[in-house]
Amino acid sequence: MKLRLFAGALALFSSLAVSAQSHMMEVNTKKLGAPVQPTMYGLFFEDINYAADGGLYGELVKNRSFEFPDHLMGWEAFGNFSVKDDGPFERCPHYVELRDPGHGERRSGLSNNGFFGIGLKQGEDYRFSVWAKAPQGSAKLIVQFIDRASMGENQQFAEAKLDVTSGKWQKYELVLKSPRTMEKAQLRIFLDGKNTVDLEHVSLFPVNTFKNRKNGMRRDLAQALADVHPGLLRFPGGCIVEGVDLATRYQWKNTIGPVENRPLNENRWEYTFPHRFYPDYFQSYGLGFFEFFQLAEDIGAEPLPVLNVGMACQFQNWDKEEAHVPVDQLQPYIQDCLDLIEFANGPIDSEWGKVRAEMGHPEPFNMKFIGVGNEQWDDMYYRRLEPFVAAIKAKYPNIQIVGTSGPDSEGEMWQKGWAAMKKQKADLVDEHFYRNEDWFLATPEGKEKYGNCGAMRYDTYDRKGPKVFAGEYACHGKNNHKWNHYEASILEAGFMTGMERNADVVYMTAYAPLFAHIEGWQWRPDLIWFDNLRMFKSCSYYVQQMYATNKGTNVLPMTMDKKPVAGLDGQDGLHASAVFDKDSGEIIIKVVNTSKAAQPISILLTGMKGERTAQVLELGNNGDPDDENTLDKPELIHPVPLTVQCIADKKQTVLNDQLYPLSFRIYKVKK
Ligand code: AHR
């Protein structure tokens, strides 16, 4: 209701100082509604856009095990060398042998280019390690950081010597401090002397990884994840779960155990978009399932692994039944799911619990959810899912199963998917929607094209069926005119009020994708962007963070004119929802102005009396919907704290405020 101050109303609301156009909303602070699930609001990790190798995973050497199909891709080898294949790690058998170059003035050695260069920071320590053997009993190496583009006297700006002291394979380590900050350095290794040396698994990590782990994550990127305070971490994808064919699907068992022996897999994002082609994009699996579980634990998120349902990517294979595993041959895939649950939760004397313990985590990871199939659709999927559900529920009745409704957020196939998931008693359904402004705002065009969209989407969901996992979504600006811009994030914020209001059906959510290297992306928008040294959080990141850090424990009814505040006719683009937080005793109200005009608001906090100070967190900008954060201006748009004084009228506490065009405010008021 827009409150127009005519005489009678003026008398009634004289104490409110409400502007002539104020939008009157009401929060019933006494009526606790549905609990907000602890899994809200989550993150979705997929190795796309160099999110893992070259991104979150701290390794700085590309093709460290010489297992790329072109064994020297990423390397420059010089002098007298050869690639051999009888190394110490059976699943990564290749290595490089460096031999006497034949003359004192010649050199044998290797240089590595890293991922778009090797990023080094001044004063930071880097741990170089290598598996090596010297067939003659000893050999010497010189390890250097190199600036190839230098106009100075020396290309190298850090150097260390390494003695290989055995004819048997051993791991050697040294730490090099970088005296410089460089985005695109190289690692160079010279053979020093005439004795032959064999080199395998050549690695360089910052010592200062997240939680200081040796096989750790890049600190700034992992910290950005922790700072969201996510309720959930879904991994490892996305389409990479399926693979373009089954041979290249993601297989979790290949991603655990010693990193040196994890076999390489291709990454379908190398070639999925030929207009963004990356021939050197592979999965080393250094960031594998143990590391994903550990990361989830570190950042306080519930782990949600997603496993292959016996299907290759349906987009790539359409109706080709033969691309998938015959239904009567699914047992190894089903066993993968059962074994994963044992790996995560089993006792240390179980087969897979023992592997977890040997990797350094005897305590269970307490996994509660498993996704079966990524973005599958139609009977091909439903038929395959059935035996998975039966086997998992029989052995692990408490594990909740996440099925999928396919790649669309509406339409016949989506409906069919939901019906099938309900029939099969999946606990949750993963829905995906990369959609434009019309969808997020539920404009007449949006409704015409998509049907049930916008912030009212979940109000009509079946309360008796599986719960919703909005597992991949983002607002994609129309006509690709802009990416990760401010307006898109505000529309996401508005839409999310509908997720919050419908906490009884929406149990999990995740924006997607998560990471993108600015030189290596295939898909945008993305939540966090980075190069080899820097990163920035998109405006959408801040929206996710604002929700996740203010999720409360129970929904409170919030209305305008007795209707949900969801950008409906007459609501001038306003979206709002409210929760109570039992732990802090605060009422938390989210209001989003998706319109391009300022909107005065009045929120009546019924059930509360007296004046209060509301703590406010605002995401706003200077009015340009196309503004965006960038590496050079990472904080152009970020949440800002404010306060607003609430007044008391005879009946209740009242919060009067004005929202700037396209802005998002969270108000917290102590009850
Ligand atoms: O997030 C990018 C891709 O979008 C995911 O891999 C897939 O699940 C969806 O199609």
Side-chain angles (χ1 to χ4, degrees):
M1 156 171 76
K2 272 192 208 167
L3 184 67
R4 306 206 183 265
L5 292 188
F6 53 91
L10 186 60
L12 190 60
F13 295 104
S14 57
S15 60
L16 302 187
V18 179
S19 98
Q21 294 295 316
S22 198
H23 299 79
M24 178 80 81
M25 307 178 197
E26 191 176 325
V27 175
N28 184 341
T29 68
K30 286 212 156 149
K31 196 167 173 200
L32 282 197
V36 177
Q37 295 300 311
T39 42
M40 299 286 281
Y41 294 79
L43 298 172
F44 160 53
F45 184 93
E46 172 163 29
D47 190 1
I48 182 173
N49 307 320
Y50 287 80
D53 295 311
L56 180 63
Y57 184 49
E59 177 63 81
L60 297 168
V61 173
K62 183 167 71 188
N63 190 14
R64 64 186 174 185
S65 290
F66 308 102
E67 293 303 326
F68 284 19
D70 169 354
H71 296 292
L72 289 175
M73 187 180 256
W75 295 94
E76 289 163 329
F78 44 88
N80 185 4
F81 67 88
S82 48
V83 177
K84 304 182 101 178
D85 64 2
D86 58 346
F89 306 112
E90 52 171 354
R91 299 198 291 184
C92 300
H94 294 91
Y95 63 97
V96 165
E97 186 170 270
L98 301 178
R99 292 180 296 265
D100 178 4
H103 190 288
E105 297 298 313
R106 292 204 185 104
R107 313 274 162 226
S108 293
L110 288 165
S111 301
N112 190 274
N113 296 319
F115 301 89
F116 315 103
I118 292 178
L120 300 173
K121 290 189 178 165
Q122 184 177 21
E124 291 278 333
D125 288 332
Y126 294 87
R127 183 176 287 109
F128 169 85
S129 69
V130 62
W131 282 79
K133 76 171 158 58
Q136 287 113 311
S138 72
K140 289 180 185 303
L141 296 173
I142 301 173
V143 181
Q144 298 178 336
F145 290 159
I146 292 292
D147 176 4
R148 270 281 283 270
S150 172
M151 290 291 284
E153 198 61 25
N154 297 315
Q155 291 177 324
Q156 81 270 22
F157 54 92
E159 181 174 294
K161 299 203 171 200
L162 181 71
D163 287 339
V164 176
T165 53
S166 171
K168 296 210 170 97
W169 285 106
Q170 277 183 18
K171 186 175 180 180
Y172 297 83
E173 267 186 25
L174 59 84
V175 171
L176 265 173
K177 191 180 284 301
S178 178
R180 283 195 203 166
T181 294
M182 254 204 96
E183 191 194 340
K184 290 177 183 291
Q186 276 190 337
L187 174 75
R188 181 173 289 161
I189 302 166
F190 281 123
L191 175 65
D192 188 14
K194 294 184 174 179
N195 282 3
T196 300
V197 72
D198 293 323
L199 301 177
E200 162 66 309
H201 199 88
V202 184
S203 168
L204 185 73
F205 268 82
V207 170
N208 181 18
T209 57
F210 186 61
K211 303 274 176 194
N212 298 315
R213 297 216 169 86
K214 273 195 162 175
N215 189 49
M217 309 295 141
R218 188 173 137 174
R219 183 177 281 271
D220 58 341
L221 298 183
Q223 190 57 51
L225 302 185
D227 290 345
V228 172
H229 296 275
L232 183 85
L233 179 67
R234 173 183 167 214
F235 56 86
C239 292
I240 64 162
V241 169
E242 303 149 271
V244 161
D245 49 32
L246 285 166
T248 55
R249 73 190 189 277
Y250 193 99
Q251 300 191 54
W252 75 267
K253 286 175 181 165
N254 288 345
T255 75
I256 57 167
V259 286
E260 294 86 350
N261 203 20
R262 298 184 190 175
L264 187 84
N265 194 8
E266 74 172 38
N267 190 320
R268 48 114 5 102
W269 296 113
E270 172 198 322
Y271 49 74
T272 296
F273 301 125
H275 55 284
R276 303 279 315 169
F277 186 68
Y278 294 89
D280 63 348
Y281 198 1
F282 290 86
Q283 302 180 74
S284 75
Y285 285 153
L287 169 50
F289 260 42
F290 179 85
E291 290 78 18
F292 278 125
F293 278 115
Q294 198 171 46
L295 178 65
E297 186 174 76
D298 286 343
I299 64 178
E302 283 295 341
L304 168 55
V306 182
L307 263 55
N308 190 297
V309 67
M311 299 183 76
C313 179
Q314 283 178 273
F315 280 114
Q316 256 79 29
N317 296 284
W318 290 103
D319 287 342
K320 276 195 244 149
E321 182 65 47
E322 67 278 11
H324 313 302
V325 182
V327 177
D328 60 358
Q329 292 169 33
L330 284 168
Q331 191 49 38
Y333 291 74
I334 296 171
Q335 196 59 46
D336 270 356
C337 291
L338 301 175
D339 291 344
L340 179 67
I341 299 168
E342 186 176 287
F343 174 74
N345 296 350
I348 58 172
D349 56 359
S350 62
E351 181 186 354
W352 291 100
K354 184 164 177 269
V355 179
R356 181 194 71 239
E358 282 166 0
M359 290 185 76
H361 203 287
E363 310 78 21
F365 283 118
N366 290 320
M367 160 184 167
K368 301 183 182 75
F369 306 97
I370 189 166
V372 186
N374 168 45
E375 198 178 59
Q376 329 293 162
W377 67 86
D378 215 354
D379 297 330
M380 279 184 174
Y381 170 50
Y382 316 142
R383 277 189 283 120
R384 286 178 174 80
L385 180 64
E386 231 172 275
F388 281 81
V389 174
I392 295 169
K393 286 288 174 196
K395 189 156 184 198
Y396 297 106
N398 295 329
I399 292 286
Q400 297 196 38
I401 297 176
V402 184
T404 146
S405 55
D408 284 324
S409 51
E410 59 281 311
E412 209 181 303
M413 204 48 82
W414 170 84
Q415 276 173 357
K416 202 171 163 184
W418 266 93
M421 294 308 105
K422 190 171 177 182
K423 189 165 163 229
Q424 296 203 21
K425 296 199 170 53
D427 298 285
L428 293 112
V429 177
D430 181 3
E431 337 187 285
H432 296 175
F433 39 97
Y434 298 105
R435 293 286 186 259
N436 65 24
E437 294 90 338
D438 287 333
W439 191 96
F440 278 83
L441 286 173
T443 61
E445 295 76 21
K447 283 194 210 156
E448 161 97 32
K449 184 162 177 203
Y450 300 111
N452 192 8
C453 55
M456 292 295 286
R457 174 178 177 85
Y458 295 115
D459 290 66
T460 51
Y461 267 51
D462 180 0
R463 266 46 200 173
K464 296 198 187 96
K467 305 300 178 191
V468 173
F469 172 30
E472 290 184 32
Y473 72 93
C475 177
H476 287 204
K478 262 192 247 175
N479 307 322
N480 301 348
H481 92 285
K482 195 73 193 164
W483 306 93
N484 273 127
H485 54 304
Y486 176 67
E487 182 176 16
S489 69
I490 290 297
L491 302 199
E492 288 153 8
F495 169 74
M496 289 171 76
T497 58
M499 293 172 157
E500 180 166 282
R501 188 178 54 253
N502 287 284
D504 58 330
V505 281
V506 182
Y507 274 30
M508 299 176 174
T509 66
Y511 179 99
L514 184 53
F515 282 121
H517 193 297
I518 56 154
E519 291 181 60
W521 60 269
Q522 298 84 45
W523 183 296
R524 59 182 177 177
D526 304 286
L527 210 59
I528 299 168
W529 288 80
F530 58 91
D531 65 9
N532 286 351
L533 296 173
R534 300 175 295 167
M535 52 99 52
F536 73 88
K537 300 162 174 172
S538 65
C539 311
S540 295
Y541 170 98
Y542 285 119
V543 167
Q544 295 298 319
Q545 185 190 45
M546 286 169 75
Y547 269 87
T549 51
N550 293 285
K551 64 186 177 200
T553 54
N554 290 82
V555 177
L556 292 172
M558 180 166 189
T559 52
M560 191 191 305
D561 257 343
K562 303 204 182 324
K563 291 187 214 129
V565 193
L568 305 177
D569 282 350
Q571 294 184 339
D572 288 337
L574 286 168
H575 294 65
S577 55
V579 290
F580 179 63
D581 191 302
K582 283 181 180 164
D583 304 320
S584 66
E586 286 169 329
I587 315 288
I588 304 174
I589 304 164
K590 300 180 181 81
V591 187
V592 186
N593 178 10
T594 63
S595 80
K596 293 184 179 151
Q599 302 294 349
I601 57 166
S602 284
I603 304 175
L604 308 182
L605 298 169
T606 64
M608 273 173 70
K609 292 215 163 176
E611 297 177 354
R612 297 281 198 292
T613 302
Q615 302 299 322
V616 184
L617 197 58
E618 180 185 61
L619 193 68
N621 80 335
N622 295 325
D624 182 349
D626 284 350
D627 268 357
E628 61 189 336
N629 291 337
T630 58
L631 282 176
D632 292 329
K633 289 190 180 162
E635 292 279 293
L636 181 70
I637 298 161
H638 63 278
V640 175
L642 311 162
T643 55
V644 166
Q645 209 52 42
C646 303
I647 58 172
D649 76 354
K650 283 189 191 131
K651 287 192 182 163
Q652 65 246 312
T653 304
V654 180
L655 190 156
N656 293 319
D657 197 15
Q658 167 148 303
L659 270 89
Y660 292 115
L662 288 178
S663 67
F664 173 25
R665 285 191 169 190
I666 299 184
Y667 305 91
K668 295 211 253 186
V669 186
K670 278 265 183 217
K671 191 143 187 225

